[in-house]
Amino acid sequence: VWPVGIVYADDLITGQEVAASIAQVTHRNPTALAASAAIVAGVAAGLRGESVNEIVKSMVAAADVYGRAEKVYKRNACKVRS
């Protein structure tokens, strides 16, 4: 899905939605959708010339949006925080 980050570098929300839609065709687990959104955010941030720390922050924030859906997908699961 990384090319989506190039195409939608100036429209990150749409890019993440497109990437999640593409991933959903073969990967219904929210973790795959989160990873796709994170890749798009990382590619777009890299193209903007952001630092590695800012790229990672963008990727984590993008993944977190889809990560919340995992609780709905796995109702009885709980996340372990370290």
Side-chain angles (χ1 to χ4, degrees):
V1 295
W2 65 267
V4 176
I6 295 171
V7 174
Y8 290 97
D10 295 331
D11 187 359
L12 194 55
I13 292 172
T14 301
Q16 291 170 346
E17 291 171 352
V18 168
S21 295
I22 291 168
Q24 197 168 26
V25 172
T26 56
H27 301 79
R28 300 199 68 197
N29 189 305
T31 303
L33 306 183
S36 296
I39 293 296
V40 168
V43 169
L47 289 173
R48 289 191 300 270
E50 294 183 12
S51 70
V52 172
N53 287 338
E54 290 301 315
I55 292 170
V56 171
K57 285 180 186 177
S58 295
M59 293 177 77
V60 169
D64 188 50
V65 172
Y66 289 90
R68 289 185 214 125
E70 191 167 3
K71 286 193 173 187
V72 174
Y73 183 74
K74 297 178 182 176
R75 285 187 197 100
N76 297 321
C78 62
K79 290 198 174 212
V80 177
R81 301 273 183 199
S82 56

Coordinates of all heavy atoms in Angstrom, one line a residue:
V1 N 0.8 -1.2 0.0 CA 0.0 0.0 0.0 C 0.8 1.3 0.0 O 0.3 2.4 0.0 CB -1.0 0.0 1.2 CG1 -2.0 -1.1 1.1 CG2 -0.3 0.0 2.5
W2 N 2.2 1.1 0.0 CA 3.0 2.3 0.1 C 2.8 3.3 -1.0 O 2.9 4.5 -0.8 CB 4.5 2.0 0.3 CG 5.1 1.2 -0.9 CD1 5.1 -0.1 -1.1 CD2 5.6 1.8 -2.1 NE1 5.7 -0.4 -2.3 CE2 6.0 0.8 -2.9 CE3 5.8 3.2 -2.5 CZ2 6.6 1.0 -4.1 CZ3 6.4 3.4 -3.7 CH2 6.8 2.3 -4.5
P3 N 2.5 2.9 -2.2 CA 2.2 3.9 -3.3 C 1.1 4.8 -3.0 O 1.0 6.0 -3.4 CB 1.9 3.0 -4.5 CG 2.6 1.7 -4.3 CD 2.4 1.5 -2.8
V4 N 0.1 4.4 -2.2 CA -1.0 5.2 -1.8 C -0.5 6.4 -1.0 O -1.0 7.5 -1.2 CB -2.0 4.4 -1.0 CG1 -3.2 5.3 -0.5 CG2 -2.6 3.3 -1.8
G5 N 0.6 6.2 -0.2 CA 1.2 7.3 0.5 C 1.8 8.4 -0.4 O 1.8 9.6 -0.1
I6 N 2.2 8.0 -1.6 CA 2.8 8.9 -2.5 C 1.6 9.7 -3.2 O 1.7 10.9 -3.3 CB 3.7 8.2 -3.6 CG1 4.9 7.6 -2.9 CG2 4.1 9.1 -4.7 CD1 5.7 6.7 -3.8
V7 N 0.7 8.9 -3.7 CA -0.5 9.5 -4.4 C -1.3 10.5 -3.5 O -1.7 11.6 -3.9 CB -1.4 8.4 -5.0 CG1 -2.6 9.0 -5.6 CG2 -0.6 7.6 -6.0
Y8 N -1.5 10.1 -2.2 CA -2.3 10.9 -1.3 C -1.4 11.6 -0.3 O -1.9 11.9 0.8 CB -3.3 10.0 -0.7 CG -4.4 9.6 -1.6 CD1 -4.3 8.3 -2.2 CD2 -5.5 10.4 -1.9 CE1 -5.3 7.9 -3.1 CE2 -6.5 10.0 -2.8 CZ -6.4 8.7 -3.4 OH -7.3 8.3 -4.2
A9 N -0.2 12.0 -0.6 CA 0.7 12.6 0.4 C 0.1 13.9 0.9 O 0.3 14.3 2.0 CB 2.0 12.9 -0.2
D10 N -0.7 14.6 0.1 CA -1.3 15.9 0.5 C -2.7 15.7 1.0 O -3.3 16.7 1.4 CB -1.4 16.8 -0.7 CG 0.0 17.2 -1.2 OD1 1.0 17.3 -0.4 OD2 0.2 17.5 -2.4
D11 N -3.2 14.5 1.1 CA -4.6 14.3 1.6 C -4.5 13.0 2.4 O -5.0 11.9 2.0 CB -5.6 14.1 0.5 CG -7.0 14.0 0.9 OD1 -7.3 14.1 2.2 OD2 -7.9 13.9 0.1
L12 N -3.9 13.1 3.6 CA -3.6 11.9 4.4 C -4.8 11.1 4.8 O -4.8 9.9 4.8 CB -2.8 12.4 5.6 CG -2.1 11.3 6.4 CD1 -1.2 10.4 5.5 CD2 -1.3 11.9 7.6
I13 N -5.9 11.8 5.2 CA -7.1 11.1 5.6 C -7.7 10.2 4.5 O -8.0 9.0 4.7 CB -8.2 12.1 6.1 CG1 -7.7 12.7 7.4 CG2 -9.5 11.4 6.4 CD1 -8.5 13.9 7.9
T14 N -7.8 10.8 3.3 CA -8.3 10.0 2.2 C -7.3 8.9 1.9 O -7.7 7.7 1.6 CB -8.5 10.9 0.9 OG1 -9.4 11.9 1.2 CG2 -9.0 10.1 -0.3
G15 N -6.0 9.1 1.9 CA -5.0 8.1 1.7 C -5.1 6.9 2.6 O -5.0 5.8 2.2
Q16 N -5.3 7.2 3.9 CA -5.5 6.2 4.9 C -6.7 5.4 4.6 O -6.8 4.1 4.8 CB -5.4 6.8 6.3 CG -4.1 7.3 6.6 CD -4.1 8.1 7.9 OE1 -5.1 8.5 8.5 NE2 -2.9 8.3 8.4
E17 N -7.8 6.0 4.3 CA -9.1 5.3 4.0 C -8.9 4.4 2.7 O -9.4 3.3 2.7 CB -10.2 6.3 3.7 CG -10.6 7.1 5.0 CD -11.6 8.2 4.8 OE1 -11.8 8.6 3.6 OE2 -12.1 8.8 5.8
V18 N -8.2 4.9 1.7 CA -8.0 4.1 0.5 C -7.1 2.9 0.8 O -7.4 1.8 0.4 CB -7.3 5.0 -0.6 CG1 -6.8 4.1 -1.7 CG2 -8.3 6.0 -1.1
A19 N -6.1 3.1 1.6 CA -5.2 2.0 2.0 C -5.9 1.0 2.8 O -5.8 -0.2 2.6 CB -4.0 2.5 2.8
A20 N -6.8 1.4 3.7 CA -7.6 0.5 4.5 C -8.5 -0.3 3.7 O -8.7 -1.5 3.9 CB -8.3 1.2 5.7
S21 N -9.1 0.4 2.7 CA -10.1 -0.3 1.8 C -9.3 -1.4 0.9 O -9.9 -2.5 0.7 CB -10.7 0.7 0.8 OG -11.5 1.6 1.6
I22 N -8.1 -1.0 0.5 CA -7.3 -2.0 -0.3 C -7.0 -3.2 0.6 O -7.1 -4.4 0.2 CB -6.1 -1.3 -0.8 CG1 -6.4 -0.3 -1.9 CG2 -5.1 -2.4 -1.4 CD1 -5.3 0.6 -2.3
A23 N -6.5 -2.9 1.8 CA -6.1 -4.0 2.7 C -7.3 -4.9 3.1 O -7.2 -6.1 3.3 CB -5.5 -3.5 4.0
Q24 N -8.5 -4.3 3.2 CA -9.7 -5.1 3.7 C -10.1 -6.1 2.7 O -10.7 -7.1 3.1 CB -10.8 -4.1 3.9 CG -11.9 -4.7 4.7 CD -12.9 -3.6 5.2 OE1 -13.0 -2.6 4.6 NE2 -13.5 -3.9 6.3
V25 N -9.7 -6.0 1.4 CA -10.0 -7.0 0.4 C -9.5 -8.4 0.8 O -10.2 -9.4 0.7 CB -9.5 -6.6 -1.0 CG1 -9.7 -7.8 -2.0 CG2 -10.2 -5.4 -1.4
T26 N -8.3 -8.4 1.4 CA -7.7 -9.7 1.7 C -7.4 -9.9 3.2 O -7.2 -11.0 3.7 CB -6.4 -9.9 1.0 OG1 -5.5 -8.8 1.3 CG2 -6.6 -10.1 -0.5
H27 N -7.4 -8.8 4.0 CA -7.1 -8.8 5.4 C -8.2 -8.1 6.2 O -8.2 -6.9 6.3 CB -5.8 -8.1 5.7 CG -4.6 -8.7 5.0 ND1 -4.4 -8.5 3.6 CD2 -3.7 -9.6 5.4 CE1 -3.3 -9.2 3.3 NE2 -2.8 -9.8 4.3
R28 N -9.1 -8.8 6.8 CA -10.2 -8.2 7.5 C -9.9 -7.8 8.9 O -10.6 -7.1 9.6 CB -11.4 -9.1 7.5 CG -11.8 -9.4 6.0 CD -13.2 -9.9 5.9 NE -14.1 -8.9 6.3 CZ -15.3 -9.0 6.6 NH1 -15.8 -10.2 6.5 NH2 -16.1 -8.0 6.9
N29 N -8.8 -8.3 9.4 CA -8.4 -8.0 10.8 C -8.0 -6.5 10.9 O -7.3 -6.0 10.1 CB -7.2 -8.8 11.2 CG -6.8 -8.7 12.7 OD1 -6.6 -7.7 13.2 ND2 -6.8 -9.9 13.3
P30 N -8.5 -5.8 12.0 CA -8.2 -4.4 12.1 C -6.7 -4.1 12.2 O -6.2 -3.0 11.9 CB -8.9 -4.0 13.5 CG -10.0 -5.0 13.5 CD -9.5 -6.3 13.0
T31 N -5.9 -5.1 12.6 CA -4.4 -4.9 12.7 C -3.9 -4.6 11.3 O -3.0 -3.8 11.1 CB -3.7 -6.1 13.3 OG1 -4.3 -6.3 14.6 CG2 -2.2 -5.9 13.4
A32 N -4.4 -5.3 10.3 CA -3.9 -5.1 8.9 C -4.3 -3.7 8.4 O -3.6 -3.0 7.7 CB -4.5 -6.1 8.0
L33 N -5.5 -3.3 8.8 CA -6.0 -1.9 8.4 C -5.1 -0.9 9.1 O -4.8 0.1 8.5 CB -7.5 -1.7 8.8 CG -8.4 -2.8 8.3 CD1 -9.9 -2.4 8.7 CD2 -8.3 -2.9 6.8
A34 N -4.8 -1.1 10.4 CA -3.9 -0.2 11.1 C -2.6 -0.1 10.5 O -2.0 1.0 10.3 CB -3.8 -0.6 12.6
A35 N -2.0 -1.2 10.1 CA -0.7 -1.2 9.5 C -0.7 -0.5 8.1 O 0.2 0.2 7.8 CB -0.2 -2.7 9.3
S36 N -1.8 -0.7 7.4 CA -1.9 0.0 6.1 C -2.0 1.5 6.2 O -1.3 2.3 5.5 CB -3.1 -0.5 5.3 OG -3.0 -1.8 5.0
A37 N -2.7 2.0 7.2 CA -2.8 3.4 7.5 C -1.5 3.9 7.9 O -1.1 5.0 7.6 CB -3.9 3.7 8.5
A38 N -0.8 3.2 8.8 CA 0.5 3.6 9.3 C 1.5 3.7 8.1 O 2.3 4.7 8.1 CB 1.0 2.6 10.3
I39 N 1.5 2.8 7.2 CA 2.5 2.9 6.1 C 2.2 4.1 5.3 O 3.1 4.9 4.9 CB 2.4 1.6 5.2 CG1 2.8 0.4 6.0 CG2 3.1 1.8 3.9 CD1 4.3 0.4 6.4
V40 N 1.0 4.4 5.0 CA 0.6 5.6 4.2 C 1.1 6.9 4.9 O 1.7 7.8 4.4 CB -0.9 5.7 3.9 CG1 -1.3 7.0 3.4 CG2 -1.3 4.6 2.9
A41 N 0.8 6.9 6.2 CA 1.3 8.1 7.0 C 2.8 8.2 7.0 O 3.3 9.3 6.9 CB 0.7 7.9 8.5
G42 N 3.5 7.1 7.1 CA 4.9 7.1 7.1 C 5.5 7.6 5.8 O 6.4 8.4 5.8
V43 N 5.0 7.1 4.7 CA 5.5 7.5 3.4 C 5.2 9.0 3.2 O 6.1 9.7 2.7 CB 4.8 6.7 2.3 CG1 5.1 7.2 0.9 CG2 5.3 5.2 2.4
A44 N 4.0 9.4 3.5 CA 3.6 10.9 3.3 C 4.5 11.8 4.2 O 5.0 12.8 3.7 CB 2.2 11.1 3.7
A45 N 4.8 11.4 5.4 CA 5.6 12.2 6.3 C 7.1 12.2 5.8 O 7.7 13.2 5.8 CB 5.6 11.6 7.7
G46 N 7.5 11.1 5.3 CA 8.9 11.0 4.7 C 9.0 12.0 3.5 O 10.0 12.6 3.3
L47 N 8.0 12.0 2.7 CA 8.0 12.9 1.5 C 8.0 14.3 1.9 O 8.5 15.2 1.2 CB 6.8 12.6 0.6 CG 6.8 11.3 -0.2 CD1 5.5 11.0 -0.9 CD2 8.0 11.3 -1.2
R48 N 7.4 14.6 3.0 CA 7.4 16.0 3.6 C 8.7 16.4 4.2 O 8.9 17.5 4.6 CB 6.2 16.2 4.6 CG 4.9 16.2 3.9 CD 3.8 16.7 4.9 NE 3.7 15.8 6.1 CZ 3.0 14.7 6.2 NH1 2.2 14.4 5.2 NH2 3.0 14.1 7.3
G49 N 9.6 15.4 4.3 CA 10.9 15.7 4.9 C 11.0 15.7 6.4 O 11.9 16.3 7.0
E50 N 10.0 15.1 7.0 CA 9.9 15.1 8.5 C 11.0 14.2 9.1 O 11.5 13.3 8.4 CB 8.5 14.6 9.0 CG 7.4 15.6 8.6 CD 6.1 15.2 9.1 OE1 6.0 14.3 9.9 OE2 5.1 15.8 8.6
S51 N 11.4 14.4 10.3 CA 12.4 13.6 11.0 C 11.9 12.2 11.3 O 10.7 12.0 11.2 CB 12.7 14.3 12.3 OG 11.7 14.2 13.3
V52 N 12.8 11.3 11.6 CA 12.4 10.0 11.9 C 11.4 9.9 13.0 O 10.4 9.2 13.0 CB 13.6 9.1 12.1 CG1 13.2 7.7 12.6 CG2 14.5 9.0 10.9
N53 N 11.7 10.7 14.0 CA 10.7 10.7 15.2 C 9.4 11.2 14.8 O 8.4 10.6 15.3 CB 11.3 11.6 16.3 CG 12.5 11.0 17.0 OD1 12.6 9.8 17.0 ND2 13.3 11.8 17.7
E54 N 9.3 12.2 14.0 CA 8.0 12.7 13.5 C 7.3 11.6 12.6 O 6.0 11.5 12.7 CB 8.1 14.0 12.8 CG 8.4 15.2 13.7 CD 7.4 15.4 14.8 OE1 6.2 15.3 14.5 OE2 7.8 15.5 16.0
I55 N 8.0 10.9 11.8 CA 7.5 9.9 10.9 C 6.9 8.8 11.8 O 5.7 8.4 11.6 CB 8.5 9.3 10.0 CG1 8.9 10.4 8.9 CG2 8.0 8.0 9.3 CD1 10.1 10.0 8.1
V56 N 7.6 8.4 12.8 CA 7.1 7.3 13.7 C 5.8 7.8 14.4 O 4.9 7.0 14.6 CB 8.2 6.9 14.7 CG1 7.6 6.0 15.8 CG2 9.3 6.2 14.0
K57 N 5.8 9.0 14.9 CA 4.6 9.6 15.6 C 3.4 9.6 14.7 O 2.3 9.2 15.1 CB 4.9 11.0 16.1 CG 5.8 11.0 17.3 CD 6.0 12.5 17.8 CE 7.0 12.6 18.9 NZ 7.2 14.0 19.3
S58 N 3.6 9.9 13.4 CA 2.6 10.0 12.4 C 2.0 8.5 12.2 O 0.8 8.3 12.1 CB 3.0 10.5 11.1 OG 3.4 11.9 11.2
M59 N 2.9 7.6 12.1 CA 2.5 6.2 11.9 C 1.8 5.6 13.1 O 0.7 5.0 12.9 CB 3.8 5.4 11.6 CG 4.4 5.7 10.3 SD 5.9 4.8 9.9 CE 5.2 3.2 9.4
V60 N 2.2 5.9 14.3 CA 1.5 5.4 15.4 C 0.2 6.0 15.6 O -0.8 5.3 15.9 CB 2.4 5.7 16.7 CG1 1.6 5.4 18.0 CG2 3.7 4.8 16.7
A61 N 0.0 7.3 15.3 CA -1.3 8.0 15.4 C -2.2 7.4 14.4 O -3.4 7.2 14.7 CB -1.1 9.5 15.2
A62 N -1.7 7.2 13.2 CA -2.6 6.6 12.1 C -3.1 5.2 12.5 O -4.2 4.9 12.3 CB -1.9 6.6 10.8
A63 N -2.2 4.4 13.0 CA -2.5 3.0 13.4 C -3.5 3.0 14.6 O -4.4 2.2 14.6 CB -1.2 2.3 13.7
D64 N -3.3 3.9 15.5 CA -4.2 4.0 16.6 C -5.6 4.2 16.3 O -6.5 3.6 16.9 CB -3.7 5.1 17.6 CG -4.4 5.0 18.9 OD1 -4.5 3.9 19.5 OD2 -5.0 6.1 19.4
V65 N -5.9 4.9 15.3 CA -7.3 5.1 14.8 C -8.0 3.8 14.5 O -9.1 3.5 14.9 CB -7.4 6.1 13.6 CG1 -8.8 6.1 13.1 CG2 -6.9 7.5 14.0
Y66 N -7.2 2.9 13.8 CA -7.8 1.6 13.4 C -7.6 0.6 14.5 O -8.3 -0.4 14.6 CB -7.1 1.1 12.1 CG -7.6 1.9 10.9 CD1 -6.9 3.1 10.5 CD2 -8.7 1.6 10.2 CE1 -7.4 3.9 9.4 CE2 -9.2 2.3 9.2 CZ -8.5 3.5 8.8 OH -9.0 4.2 7.7
G67 N -6.6 0.8 15.4 CA -6.4 -0.1 16.5 C -7.6 -0.2 17.4 O -7.8 -1.2 18.0
R68 N -8.3 0.9 17.5 CA -9.5 0.9 18.4 C -10.5 0.0 17.9 O -11.3 -0.5 18.7 CB -10.0 2.4 18.5 CG -9.1 3.3 19.3 CD -9.7 4.7 19.5 NE -8.7 5.6 19.5 CZ -8.6 6.7 18.7 NH1 -9.6 6.9 17.9 NH2 -7.6 7.5 18.7
A69 N -10.6 -0.2 16.6 CA -11.6 -1.1 16.1 C -11.3 -2.6 16.4 O -12.2 -3.4 16.4 CB -11.6 -1.0 14.5
E70 N -10.1 -2.9 16.9 CA -9.8 -4.3 17.2 C -10.7 -4.7 18.4 O -11.0 -5.9 18.5 CB -8.3 -4.4 17.6 CG -7.9 -5.8 17.7 CD -6.4 -6.0 17.7 OE1 -5.7 -5.0 17.7 OE2 -6.0 -7.1 17.7
K71 N -11.0 -3.9 19.3 CA -11.8 -4.3 20.5 C -13.2 -4.7 20.0 O -13.8 -5.6 20.6 CB -11.9 -3.1 21.5 CG -10.7 -3.0 22.3 CD -10.9 -2.1 23.5 CE -9.7 -2.1 24.3 NZ -9.9 -1.5 25.6
V72 N -13.7 -4.1 18.9 CA -15.0 -4.5 18.4 C -14.8 -5.8 17.7 O -15.7 -6.7 17.8 CB -15.5 -3.4 17.4 CG1 -16.8 -3.9 16.7 CG2 -15.8 -2.1 18.2
Y73 N -13.7 -6.0 16.9 CA -13.5 -7.2 16.2 C -13.2 -8.4 17.1 O -13.7 -9.5 16.9 CB -12.2 -7.0 15.3 CG -11.8 -8.1 14.4 CD1 -12.6 -8.4 13.3 CD2 -10.7 -8.9 14.7 CE1 -12.2 -9.4 12.4 CE2 -10.4 -9.9 13.8 CZ -11.1 -10.2 12.7 OH -10.7 -11.2 11.9
K74 N -12.6 -8.1 18.2 CA -12.3 -9.2 19.2 C -12.9 -8.7 20.5 O -12.2 -8.2 21.4 CB -10.8 -9.4 19.4 CG -10.1 -9.9 18.2 CD -8.6 -10.0 18.4 CE -7.9 -10.4 17.2 NZ -6.4 -10.5 17.4
R75 N -14.2 -8.9 20.7 CA -14.9 -8.4 21.9 C -14.3 -8.7 23.2 O -14.3 -7.9 24.1 CB -16.3 -8.8 21.8 CG -17.1 -8.1 20.8 CD -18.6 -8.5 20.9 NE -19.2 -8.1 19.6 CZ -19.5 -9.0 18.7 NH1 -19.3 -10.3 18.8 NH2 -20.1 -8.6 17.6
N76 N -13.8 -9.9 23.4 CA -13.4 -10.3 24.7 C -11.9 -10.2 24.9 O -11.3 -10.6 25.9 CB -13.8 -11.8 25.0 CG -15.3 -11.9 25.0 OD1 -16.0 -11.1 25.5 ND2 -15.8 -13.0 24.5
A77 N -11.2 -9.5 23.9 CA -9.8 -9.3 24.0 C -9.4 -8.1 24.8 O -10.2 -7.1 24.9 CB -9.2 -9.2 22.6
C78 N -8.3 -8.1 25.5 CA -7.9 -6.9 26.2 C -6.4 -6.7 25.8 O -5.7 -7.6 25.6 CB -8.0 -7.0 27.7 SG -7.0 -8.4 28.4
K79 N -6.1 -5.4 25.6 CA -4.7 -5.1 25.2 C -3.8 -5.1 26.5 O -4.2 -4.6 27.5 CB -4.7 -3.8 24.6 CG -5.3 -3.8 23.2 CD -4.9 -2.6 22.4 CE -5.5 -2.8 21.0 NZ -4.6 -2.2 20.0
V80 N -2.6 -5.6 26.3 CA -1.6 -5.6 27.3 C -0.7 -4.5 27.1 O -0.1 -4.3 26.0 CB -0.8 -7.0 27.3 CG1 0.3 -6.9 28.4 CG2 -1.7 -8.1 27.5
R81 N -0.5 -3.6 28.0 CA 0.3 -2.4 27.9 C 1.6 -2.7 28.7 O 1.6 -3.3 29.8 CB -0.3 -1.2 28.5 CG -1.6 -0.8 27.9 CD -1.4 0.0 26.7 NE -2.6 0.4 26.1 CZ -2.8 0.9 24.9 NH1 -1.7 1.0 24.2 NH2 -3.9 1.2 24.4
S82 N 2.7 -2.3 28.1 CA 4.0 -2.5 28.8 C 4.5 -1.3 29.4 O 4.1 -0.2 29.1 CB 5.0 -3.1 27.8 OG 5.2 -2.3 26.7

